[in-house]
C-alpha cells in the first residue's frame, strides 16, 4: 500500500521538478490513514516554505487521473504535513493483490547466515539465562529463513571450560579404583557433582589447581580424560536437548568450543605470521584499539604465557571453522549483552587478522529479571534452572481454571511455550524485563494466550466458501482490520532487517486487538450474501497472518483452549 502511494507521489514530484523520493508512513492521527512529511525535507533543499510545497504537491496530486480511485481525501495540515485518507477501493484492491502473494508479500533475500544462539555449558543444566538467546535466536532464525536466506544454527556448547575439569576430578575421587572405561553414573549424579566441585574449588586452593590441570590436559587432547569427558557430554547434552526440544528450539549443528580447539594448530600457524599478533609479557595478543573509541578496548588475548587458550581464542577458532565450512555472508550472535566487550574484541581481531571478511553482529540480549528487577535467582541465590521456570509457568497455567487440569498435554505445552515466548519477544531484545508469571499467563492483555485465543475463536467462525473479495468496506472496524493486514509485508521486512522479533510481536498484538473488535461488532455468523463472503475472506486471511507470524516467533497453536 505505502509503495503504491509513494509511486503516485513520485510522479507528482517529477512533474514539479523536485528530485526526491517520496516516503509515506502510517498515520497515528484519528481518521487519517497515511501521512507524508516530505515537504519539510524539500523545504530545506529548495529553500521554500514547507506549506507551499505541500500545497503544490496536493494540487498536482488532485489532477492525477487516478486520484478518485486512490483517495477519499488528501489535505495539507500546517505547517506542511500531507494527510491522506485512502479509498475503500484501493484498500480492497491492495488486499486482493496481497492475498495472491507468496510469503505474505515479504521481499526475498538469499544470504548465508550463521546464527549462534545457544551457548549452554556441558555438565551444567540450562538456567534462566539461556532462555532469551534461545527464544530470540530461534525467532530471528525463523524470520531470516522465511525471507529466503540460508540459515545455519549452531548451539556452540561450552564443552571444554573449567567445569569439565572440576567434574572429572570429582568423578575420579568418587570412583578411586575403577578404570575410566568402567565408570558409570547418571544425570542426578552429574547434577550433584558439578555444584559440589564448583563450591569446593572456591574454598580449596589445592583442589582448584588439580581441576585446572585436568582442564588444561583435556584442552591439549588428553585421551584418558576424554573417556570421562565423553560420558559427561553424552548425559548432559541429551538433557540440554530435551529442554530445547520442549521449547521448540533447534540447531542444525551441535558444535562446541572443543571443536574450535581442533582449528588451533592451523589458525595459530596463520596468526603467528602476522605482524599484528604480538607477544606481551609472554602472552600472545592482538591490539584492537581504534582511533575513535569512546572507551578503552583492551587487547584481545589469544594465548596466555603458560600456553593456555582463552574464550576469545575459542571464538576466533569458531569463526575460522565457520568460514571454512559455510563461507557465510554473516555471523550473528545472540548472547547476553554483558558479553559485548568480548565480542567487540573478537570481531575486531577477526577483521584485523583477515580471518573473516563478512559481517559480524552481536545482538546482546537483556536479562530476565525477578520482582526486584535483578536477574532471576532462586531463594538461595543460584540461577534458576530453566526446567524449574518452565514448570512454574505450567503449574500457574493449569491452576488458573478447573478446565485446564484436563486439557490435552500437547496443548498445555504449546500454551506454556506461548506464555514464555510472547512474554519475552514483546520486549526489544536488548532490554531487561521483569518476569511476572501471573500477568503473562492471563488470557487478556498482551499475552501469548490472548493471541492463541483470538486465533482459535476466529477459526471457529470460518467457513468453506467460494467467492471474491468485493470493493465494499462495511464499517470502521472492517476498514481498520483491512488496513492493518496490509501492513504485514512491511512488518516482516522490518523485523528481518533490524533482527528484532518484537516488531512482529507488537504487530501481532495490535492485529489481535483489531480482529477481536471486528468479530465482536460484526455478528459474522448471522450474515448472508456478499458481506458474508467478504468477511469470511478477510478473517481467513487474518488467521493465515496470525498463524504464520506466530510460527515465526516459535509459537504453535493448540487444538483448543
Ligand atoms: N558458553 C558461553 C557462556 O556461558 C556462551 C557462549 C556464547 N557464544 C559464543 N560464541 N561465545 O558464557
Amino acid at each position: 500500500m505505502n509503495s503504491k502511494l509513494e509511486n503516485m507521489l513520485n510522479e507528482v514530484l517529477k512533474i514539479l521538478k523536485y528530485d526526491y523520493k517520496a516516503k509515506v508512513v502510517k498515520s497515528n492521527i484519528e481518521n487519517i490513514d497515511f501521512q507524508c512529511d516530505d515537504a519539510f525535507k524539500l523545504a530545506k533543499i529548495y529553500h521554500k516554505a514547507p506549506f507551499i510545497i505541500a500545497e503544490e504537491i496536493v494540487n498536482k496530486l488532485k489532477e492525477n487521473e487516478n486520484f478518485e480511485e486512490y483517495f477519499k481525501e488528501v489535505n495539507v495540515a500546517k505547517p506542511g504535513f500531507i494527510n491522506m485518507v485512502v479509498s475503500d477501493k484501493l484498500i480492497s484492491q491492495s488486499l486482493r493483490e496481497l492475498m495472491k502473494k507468496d510469503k505474505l508479500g515479504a521481499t526475498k533475500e538469499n544470504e548465508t547466515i550463521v546464527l549462534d544462539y545457544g551457548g549452554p555449558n556441558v555438565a551444567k543444566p540450562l538456567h534462566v539465562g539461556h532462555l532469551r538467546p534461545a527464544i530470540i535466536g530461534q525467532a530471528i532464525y525463523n524470520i531470516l529463513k522465511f525471507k529466503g536466506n540460508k540459515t545455519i544454527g549452531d548451539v556452540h556448547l561450552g564443552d571444554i571450560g573449567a567445569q569439565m575439569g572440576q567434574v572429572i576430578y570429582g568423578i575420579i575421587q568418587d570412583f578411586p579404583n575403577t578404570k575410566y572405561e568402567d565408570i558409570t553414573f547418571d544425570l542426578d549424579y552429574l547434577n550433584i557433582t558439578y555444584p559440589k566441585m564448583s563450591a569446593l574449588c572456591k574454598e580449596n586452593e589445592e583442589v582448584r589447581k588439580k581441576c585446572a590441570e585436568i582442564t588444561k590436559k583435556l584442552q591439549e587432547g588428553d585421551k584418558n580424560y576424554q573417556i570421562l569427558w565423553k560420558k559427561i557430554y553424552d548425559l548432559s547434552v541429551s538433557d540440554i536437548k530435551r529442554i530445547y526440544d520442549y521449547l521448540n528450539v533447534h540447531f542444525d549443528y551441535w558444535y562446541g568450543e572443543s571443536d574450535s580447539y581442533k582449528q588451533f594448530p592451523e589458525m595459530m600457524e596463520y596468526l603467528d605470521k602476522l605482524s599484528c599478533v604480538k607477544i606481551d609479557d609472554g602472552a600472545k595478543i592482538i591490539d584492537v584499539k581504534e582511533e575513535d573509541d569512546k572507551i578503552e578496548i583492551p587487547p584481545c588475548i589469544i594465548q596466555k604465557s603458560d600456553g593456555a587458550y582463552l574464550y576469545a581464542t575459542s571464538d576466533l577458532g569458531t569463526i575460522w571453522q565457520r568460514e571454512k565450512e559455510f563461507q557465510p555472508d554473516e555471523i550473528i550472535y545472540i548472547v547476553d549483552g554483558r558479553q559485548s566487550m568480548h565480542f567487540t574484541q573478537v570481531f575486531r581481531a577477526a577483521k584485523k587478522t583477515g580471518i573473516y571478511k563478512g559481517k559480524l553482529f552481536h545482538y546482546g540480549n537483556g536479562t530476565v529479571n525477578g520482582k526486584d528487577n535483578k536477574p532471576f535467582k532462586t531463594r538461595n541465590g543460584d540461577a534458576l534452572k530453566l526446567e524449574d521456570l518452565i514448570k512454574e509457568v505450567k503449574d500457574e497455567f493449569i491452576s488458573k481454571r478447573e478446565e485446564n487440569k484436563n486439557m490435552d498435554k500437547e496443548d498445555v505445552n504449546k500454551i506454556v511455550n506461548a506464555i514464555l515466548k510472547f512474554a519475552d519477544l514483546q520486549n526489544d531484545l536488548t532490554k531487561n524485563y521483569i518476569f511476572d508469571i501471573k500477568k503473562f499467563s492471563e488470557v487478556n492483555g498482551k499475552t501469548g494466550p490472548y493471541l492463541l485465543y483470538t486465533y482459535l475463536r476466529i477459526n471457529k467462525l470460518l467457513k468453506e466458501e467460494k467467492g471474491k473479495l468485493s470493493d465494499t468496506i462495511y464499517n470502521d472496524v472492517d476498514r481498520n482490520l483491512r488496513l492493518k493486514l496490509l501492513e504485514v509485508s512491511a512488518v516482516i521486512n522490518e523485523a528481518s532487517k533490524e533482527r528484532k522479533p518484537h516488531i512482529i510481536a507488537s504487530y501481532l498484538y495490535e492485529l489481535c486487538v483489531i480482529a477481536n473488535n471486528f468479530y465482536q461488532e460484526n455478528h459474522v455468523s448471522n450474515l448472508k450474501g456478499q458481506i458474508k463472503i467478504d468477511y469470511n475472506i478477510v478473517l481467513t486471511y487474518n488467521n493465515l497472518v496470525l498463524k504464520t507470524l506466530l510460527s515465526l516467533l516459535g509459537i504453535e497453536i493448540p487444538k483448543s483452549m
Side-chain angles (χ1 to χ4, degrees), residues 1-18 20-25 34-39 42 53-54 56-62 64 67 70-71 74 82-84:
M1 172 71 103
N2 297 42
S3 61
K4 272 200 175 126
L5 302 176
E6 281 165 0
N7 288 344
M8 201 164 175
L9 280 170
N10 280 333
E11 268 179 49
V12 169
L13 291 179
K14 215 166 142 194
I15 299 172
L16 293 170
K17 299 207 161 42
Y18 288 127
Y20 198 78
K21 261 189 121 48
K23 180 135 189 70
V24 169
V25 295
F34 296 95
Q35 183 175 322
C36 168
D37 304 341
D38 291 345
L42 285 165
I53 298 182
E56 274 176 359
I57 296 174
V58 171
N59 289 338
K60 262 285 166 277
L61 194 62
K62 287 184 176 164
N64 190 304
F67 183 81
Y70 271 49
F71 298 104
V74 179
I82 300 173
N83 291 335
M84 296 173 247

Side-chain angles (χ1 to χ4, degrees), residues 115-119 129 132-134 136-137 155-156 311 315 332-340 342-343 347 361-366 429-430:
L115 293 102
D116 185 317
Y117 54 101
R132 299 209 72 194
I136 297 165
V155 69
H156 196 73
Y311 187 34
D315 262 318
I332 293 180
Y333 297 78
I334 296 96
V335 180
D336 194 319
R338 290 170 293 184
Q339 294 197 21
S340 76
H342 164 74
F343 285 109
F347 292 175
F361 285 102
H362 169 218
Y363 292 93
N365 62 272
L429 66 91
T430 59

Side-chain angles (χ1 to χ4, degrees), residues 506-521:
S506 304
Y507 173 78
L508 264 173
Y509 175 67
E510 290 161 15
L511 180 61
C512 282
V513 171
I514 297 175
N516 270 301
N517 280 341
F518 180 94
Y519 75 71
Q520 273 157 19
E521 291 195 22

